[in-house]
Amino acid sequence: MFRRREPVPFAFIAEAERFRSNVAPPPRQRAGWPEIAGRTLLGLTVVSGLVGALLFGAPALDAPQPGSGKAPTSTAQEGR
């Protein structure tokens, strides 16, 4: 019941699961002050844009109150 392992044309592909490299990648460079300041400024710009959109868009999402006395009217009906 054992499967016979047949040779493959590219044996290194079949053995790739067992391969371990002994070469370490180079260490990452630390971000300098200009890069940190740029990332912070970009983050603050995105957050302030979202907050501004929420502040300007919130009144448009409010439903009119039933007892407010103001009924939505169209200006197109005034000319008749």
Side-chain angles (χ1 to χ4, degrees):
M1 290 289 166
F2 294 107
R3 258 177 81 176
R4 193 178 94 180
R5 229 177 139 101
E6 297 182 14
V8 292
F10 299 101
F12 63 90
I13 295 176
E15 296 174 2
E17 298 172 3
R18 293 181 272 162
F19 179 73
R20 297 259 183 203
S21 175
N22 61 354
V23 178
R28 292 183 52 158
Q29 291 182 348
R30 286 187 64 170
W33 287 109
E35 188 174 354
I36 293 173
R39 289 178 184 176
T40 304
L41 185 61
L42 179 66
L44 287 174
T45 304
V46 169
V47 169
S48 63
L50 292 173
V51 169
L54 183 65
L55 288 176
F56 284 119
L61 296 175
D62 288 339
Q65 299 295 330
S68 66
K70 282 188 171 180
T73 59
S74 174
T75 57
Q77 293 177 353
E78 293 177 7
R80 292 186 180 177

